[in-house]
Amino acid sequence: MKKKTPLQRYIPAIVSLAALGALSLIMPEIAPRAGKAFVDQLTSIALVVPPIFMLLGLLDVWVPRDTMIRFMGPDSGIRGPVLAFLLGSAAAGPLYGAFPVAGVLMKKGASFHNILIFIGAWSTTKVPMFLFEMQALGKRFALSRLAIDLVGITVIAFAIEIAVPKKEVERIYALAAEEEN
């Protein structure tokens, strides 16, 4: 698999900046709002990404591959999905923060099914959101939503696992391993 050059990796960002510049020239009245939104998003990413990468570094160093395979690998049994769900639910930050973590979990030998559950949990069952829901909308609503999410995440993980060809899963794992080098 051919590795992308640094310039190729940043083509979407470069194209987005060029589009923002072109938009500012064509429609100068919206340029300040667009520029503020761009700076706000950049600030948000700058505040979220460094702590995630620090935790990833610690996960990469502290958790041996054998341990990860035992707890989240293909033969982990019910332990793997439960751990994936707990890790995803305990996370803080936007969904884009889940993907580097998922990449490290893949490199460490976590199964595809557990990766999908981890991403699903990160996106829908965060602990702070659950606590807020309990306080604002009531226990019944929060617990009902959590139960539906658990079933939904599990069903979606199985559906994706069935729908995605094994070769594609292997290609994704190869890409995750390649990022290490």
Side-chain angles (χ1 to χ4, degrees), residues 25 44 50 63 66 69 80 82 85 94 96 105 114 121 126 131 139 177:
L25 291 175
S44 170
V63 180
D66 294 342
I69 289 173
V82 169
F85 179 78
Y96 60 77
L105 293 175
N114 291 335
K126 291 180 184 162
L131 296 175
K139 281 182 185 176

Side-chain angles (χ1 to χ4, degrees), residues 27-145:
M27 302 168 74
E29 66 277 2
I30 65 166
R33 272 192 2 223
K36 183 180 179 327
F38 174 76
V39 170
D40 288 347
Q41 290 299 318
L42 203 59
T43 304
S44 170
I45 290 172
L47 292 174
V48 168
V49 170
I52 289 173
F53 279 96
M54 271 180 40
L55 292 173
L56 284 178
L58 295 174
L59 175 70
D60 207 18
V61 172
W62 286 348
V63 180
R65 183 175 164 77
D66 294 342
T67 304
M68 184 63 74
I69 289 173
R70 187 167 28 121
F71 286 104
M72 291 186 71
D75 298 325
S76 61
I78 191 68
R79 252 187 326 204
V82 169
L83 189 57
F85 179 78
L86 292 175
L87 280 174
S89 296
L95 183 59
Y96 60 77
F99 296 111
V101 179
V104 170
L105 293 175
M106 290 175 115
K107 283 189 283 188
K108 291 282 187 175
S111 74
F112 189 59
H113 181 78
N114 291 335
I115 297 294
L116 295 172
I117 288 181
F118 167 76
I119 292 172
W122 186 300
S123 67
T124 57
T125 61
K126 291 180 184 162
V127 171
M129 186 169 62
F130 178 71
L131 296 175
F132 172 76
E133 281 178 358
M134 282 187 63
Q135 190 174 25
L137 303 171
K139 281 182 185 176
R140 185 174 177 186
F141 175 86
L143 291 172
S144 299
R145 194 185 73 80

Side-chain angles (χ1 to χ4, degrees), residues 4-21:
K4 290 182 177 179
T5 65
L7 183 63
Q8 289 173 324
R9 294 177 130 197
Y10 296 107
I11 284 178
I14 293 168
V15 169
S16 297
L17 277 175
L20 180 64

